[in-house]
């Protein structure tokens, strides 16, 4: 299509499904993204192992408090903006369109990195479990390719179907972790110790690292706003789901981390975590209960990863839909099915995942990269590279986005005075924005540690560089749009209803706007 050809939104595209999701559905999809069983089995043990501190349980509570303060302004702004682009629309309207587009590309990189990175752990865990139980050895990437198909199929169907699937999986995860907690308190080799709940365990030299490793467990909590256009009552449903999710996640993780320290013993939890890593939970349950229960928990660990994959897939699809609707990326991404699913964005995310997974598979297996990099630990290649590299990159990007969004709240309400308290419109956003910015800096400073590197290498700088590059490219692209297409530029961050304004097509030749701003 030439630079002067235009396209209107196809009449059969109904937009996203409306008034479909209630508070429970959105809450469950938020919790699914954080993968409770994965966090308790993997995140908690990693935090104990790396920080060498007992302050992990209180660290989760402190992060939950910070994110609750962030949610004060975030949800208040959400009452005035209902957009599947969430962060993108908030930053665009609060800090300006260039920063909004920059934030949108950071969101795409971050959510894709989180989603694709989890595939690495999913494939490894499923392949290892099948081999342990049947003796059948299979490449990790075979199961990932099959999973991409399943996730893609759910992604192009009604969002409430995904909600039902994720709700079931999340409920089973909670049952599994609660069972683990009960067994931990029953075992308690050193008694029901509160050593891990002593504030001195948190507020020490390891505080920064505890927060850096703990914040990744909450990634996805902000995704409630992404489903705003599909919520039954966006002004009430999304805020309630966001607050409920962050409270549920924070309290549950803190309690389970404390239970972990009690079950293993406060004096042994750090050493045991360093020795066994994520397997510690399953070894513990095998010793204290039975192999069958441990196996069931292992299966639920895998389904926990699947639930997170689906949740992040849905987020990427809706970001692409929102950006396509407003002409920031190709209009083709704004296409939805009759069921109201953003099928074009969903397919695009599946293709992105497929390309990256094939790349890692070829690099690790076909070209011998796994053996060359890790020697006897080559079988851990998808975990040590794909999962570790990408999920930490994604977490860094999302923390940066939350910080920008917090400051965007201040800018938004300064330009649009509302009958809200100063706490809601200035103090809470400023406080959370500064704390999240500090956390982002801490993540960058500790990135080698997060990647498990003894010495920095190319990935230490390249991976976070992707986040910075995406932001800069987005800002530059917005300025190009402002110069070439003022009307299209004026729509950035303001799309809520398909057909409410003209649509635009962007291609490699140029930009043309249609309709009113």
């Amino acid at each position: 299509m030439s630079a002067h050809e235009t396209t209107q939104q196809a009449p059969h595209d109904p937009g996203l499904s409306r008034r479909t999701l209630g508070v429970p559905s959105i809450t469950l999809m938020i919790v699914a993204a954080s993968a409770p069983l994965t966090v308790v089995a993997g995140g908690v043990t990693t935090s104990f192992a790396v920080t060498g501190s007992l302050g992990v349980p209180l660290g989760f509570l402190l992060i939950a408090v910070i994110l609750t303060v962030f949610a004060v302004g975030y949800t208040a702004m959400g009452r005035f903006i209902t957009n599947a682009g969430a962060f993108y629309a908030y930053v665009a309207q609060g800090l300006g369109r260039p920063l909004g587009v920059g934030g949108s590309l950071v969101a795409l990189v971050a959510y894709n990195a989180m989603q694709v990175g989890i595939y690495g752990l999913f494939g490894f865990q499923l392949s290892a479990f099948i081999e342990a139980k049947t003796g059948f050895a299979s490449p990790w990437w075979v199961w990932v390719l099959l999973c991409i198909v399943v996730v893609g199929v759910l992604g192009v169907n009604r969002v409430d179907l995904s909600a039902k699937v994720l709700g079931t999986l999340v409920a089973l995860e909670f049952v599994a972790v609660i069972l683990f907690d009960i067994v931990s308190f029953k075992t308690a080799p050193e008694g029901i110790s509160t050593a891990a709940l002593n504030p001195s365990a948190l507020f020490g030299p390891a505080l920064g690292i505890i927060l850096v490793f703990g914040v990744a467990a909450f990634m996805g909590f902000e995704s409630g706003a992404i489903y705003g256009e599909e919520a039954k009552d966006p002004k009430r449903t999304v805020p309630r789901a966001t607050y409920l999710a962050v409270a549920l996640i924070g309290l549950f993780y803190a309690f389970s981390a404390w239970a972990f320290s009690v079950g293993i013993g406060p004096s042994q939890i750090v050493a045991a975590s360093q020795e066994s890593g994520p397997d510690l939970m399953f070894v513990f349950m095998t010793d204290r209960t039975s192999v069958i229960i441990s196996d069931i928990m292992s299966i639920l660990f895998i389904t926990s990863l699947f639930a997170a994959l689906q949740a992040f897939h849905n987020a990427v699809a809706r970001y692409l839909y929102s950006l396509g609707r407003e002409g920031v990326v190709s209009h083709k991404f704004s296409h939805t099915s009759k069921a109201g699913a953003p099928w074009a964005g969903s397919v695009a995310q599946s293709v992105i995942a497929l390309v990256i997974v094939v790349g890692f598979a070829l690099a690790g297996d076909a070209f011998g990269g796994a053996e060359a990099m890790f020697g006897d630990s080559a079988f851990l290649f998808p975990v040590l590279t794909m999962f570790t590299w990408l999920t930490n990159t994604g977490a860094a990007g999302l923390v940066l986005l939350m910080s920008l969004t917090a400051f965007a709240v201040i800018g938004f309400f300064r330009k649009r005075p509302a009958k809200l308290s100063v706490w809601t419109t200035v103090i809470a956003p400023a406080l959370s924005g500064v704390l999240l910015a500090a956390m982002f800096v801490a993540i960058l400073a500790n990135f080698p540690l997060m990647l498990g590197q003894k010495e920095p290498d190319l990935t230490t700088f390249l991976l976070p560089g992707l986040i910075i590059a995406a932001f800069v490219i987005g800002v530059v692209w917005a300025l190009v749009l402002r110069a070439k297409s003022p009307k299209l530029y004026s729509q950035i961050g303001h799309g809520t209803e398909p057909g409410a304004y003209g649509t635009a097509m962007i291609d490699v030749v140029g930009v043309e706007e249609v309709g009113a701003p």
Side-chain angles (χ1 to χ4, degrees):
M1 176 173 287
S2 73
H4 298 289
E5 289 179 301
T6 60
T7 179
Q8 293 290 336
Q9 186 158 344
H12 65 274
D13 281 345
L16 298 175
S17 58
R18 305 289 157 168
R19 301 191 178 278
T20 303
L21 302 173
V23 173
S25 295
I26 294 179
T27 301
L28 288 172
M29 286 197 284
I30 293 172
V31 174
S34 72
L37 182 53
T38 301
V39 168
V40 176
V44 169
T45 52
T46 299
S47 293
F48 276 125
V50 175
T51 65
S53 169
L54 289 177
V56 175
L58 290 182
F60 283 123
L61 287 181
L62 180 56
I63 295 170
V65 170
I66 293 172
L67 295 182
T68 300
V69 175
F70 165 78
V72 171
Y74 181 60
T75 56
M77 195 170 177
R79 299 182 194 129
F80 297 86
I81 301 174
T82 302
N83 191 305
F87 284 147
Y88 151 67
Y90 290 11
V91 176
Q93 293 200 38
L95 297 179
R97 292 171 177 83
L99 295 183
V101 176
S104 75
L105 293 197
V106 171
L108 287 177
V109 171
Y111 280 120
N112 270 299
M114 292 292 291
Q115 205 266 359
V116 180
I118 293 171
Y119 272 124
L121 183 57
F122 174 86
F124 170 79
Q125 289 293 143
L126 184 53
S127 176
F129 181 79
I130 292 174
E131 183 174 3
K133 297 304 169 185
T134 68
F136 173 64
S138 56
W140 62 271
W141 47 265
V142 169
W143 304 109
V144 174
L145 296 179
L146 291 174
C147 187
I148 288 174
V149 174
V150 177
V151 169
V153 169
L154 287 173
V156 298
N157 278 283
R158 285 177 58 90
V159 68
D160 53 342
L161 175 60
S162 290
K164 292 174 182 176
V165 172
L166 297 184
T168 301
L169 296 179
V170 168
L172 293 173
E173 287 182 61
F174 272 95
V175 170
V177 176
I178 290 170
L179 175 61
F180 168 76
D181 293 345
I182 292 172
V183 174
S184 293
F185 282 113
K186 183 178 179 181
T187 303
E190 299 175 26
I192 309 298
S193 171
T194 58
L197 301 181
N198 189 330
S200 64
L202 173 64
F203 295 102
L207 174 61
I209 302 177
I210 290 173
L211 297 181
V212 164
F213 276 84
V215 73
F218 290 80
M219 291 303 96
F221 106 94
E222 78 297 331
S223 61
I226 294 174
Y227 300 100
E229 295 182 43
E230 298 158 279
K232 291 181 178 179
D233 184 355
K235 298 185 188 308
R236 292 182 175 85
T237 302
V238 172
R240 290 173 181 173
T242 300
Y243 281 119
L244 179 59
V246 73
L248 186 63
I249 291 171
L251 292 172
F252 189 69
Y253 288 169
F255 182 81
S256 296
W258 174 45
F260 220 139
S261 73
V262 171
I264 303 299
S267 67
Q268 300 297 317
I269 184 63
V270 171
S273 296
Q274 292 171 338
E275 179 181 353
S276 301
D279 287 337
L280 182 59
M281 171 184 278
F282 306 108
V283 171
F284 175 84
M285 291 301 286
T286 299
D287 293 342
R288 300 301 189 280
T289 56
S290 67
V291 173
I292 293 177
I293 291 178
S294 179
D295 286 347
I296 292 173
M297 291 187 67
S298 295
I299 293 171
L300 291 176
F301 181 77
I302 295 169
T303 60
S304 171
L305 295 170
F306 174 82
L309 287 166
Q310 191 67 56
F312 283 116
H313 172 91
N314 289 347
V316 173
R318 281 154 182 80
Y319 259 95
L320 285 171
Y321 164 80
S322 178
L323 294 172
R325 179 177 60 188
E326 297 180 18
V328 177
V329 299
S330 173
H331 167 71
K332 293 178 181 178
F333 289 114
S334 68
H335 290 314
T336 57
S337 66
K338 292 181 179 179
W343 69 265
S346 178
V347 170
Q349 201 288 317
S350 296
V351 171
I352 290 170
L354 178 63
V355 170
I356 297 176
V357 168
V358 169
F360 272 94
L362 290 175
D365 294 354
F367 301 139
E371 190 72 29
M373 293 174 67
F374 303 112
D376 293 339
S377 299
F379 67 99
L380 288 170
F381 177 79
V383 178
L384 298 177
T385 58
M386 189 171 164
F387 173 72
T388 302
W389 293 356
L390 297 184
T391 55
N392 283 311
T393 301
L398 291 177
V399 170
L400 173 61
L401 274 174
M402 285 192 287
S403 178
L404 285 173
T405 303
F407 293 118
V409 173
I410 300 173
F412 178 82
F413 286 112
R414 185 181 63 184
K415 292 181 290 187
R416 301 167 182 79
K419 294 181 179 179
L420 297 172
S421 68
V422 176
W423 163 254
T424 299
T425 60
V426 178
I427 299 176
L431 179 61
S432 60
V434 170
L435 291 173
L436 288 165
M439 203 175 295
F440 175 69
V441 173
I443 288 174
L444 296 184
N446 290 281
F447 216 69
L449 184 63
M450 296 177 72
L451 299 185
Q453 299 170 335
K454 294 182 180 179
E455 296 291 337
D457 60 23
L458 180 61
T459 57
T460 310
F461 306 98
L462 179 61
L463 293 172
L466 294 174
I467 298 297
I468 305 302
F471 183 74
V472 173
I473 291 171
V475 171
V476 172
W477 179 236
L479 297 177
V480 170
L481 292 179
R482 185 173 67 181
K484 289 189 174 183
S485 181
K487 289 185 180 180
L488 186 151
Y489 178 80
S490 70
Q491 297 171 357
I492 289 176
H494 291 266
T496 54
E497 295 288 342
Y501 51 78
T503 58
M505 169 65 85
I506 296 176
D507 57 26
V508 295
V509 181
V511 183
E512 178 71 17
E513 73 275 6
V514 195

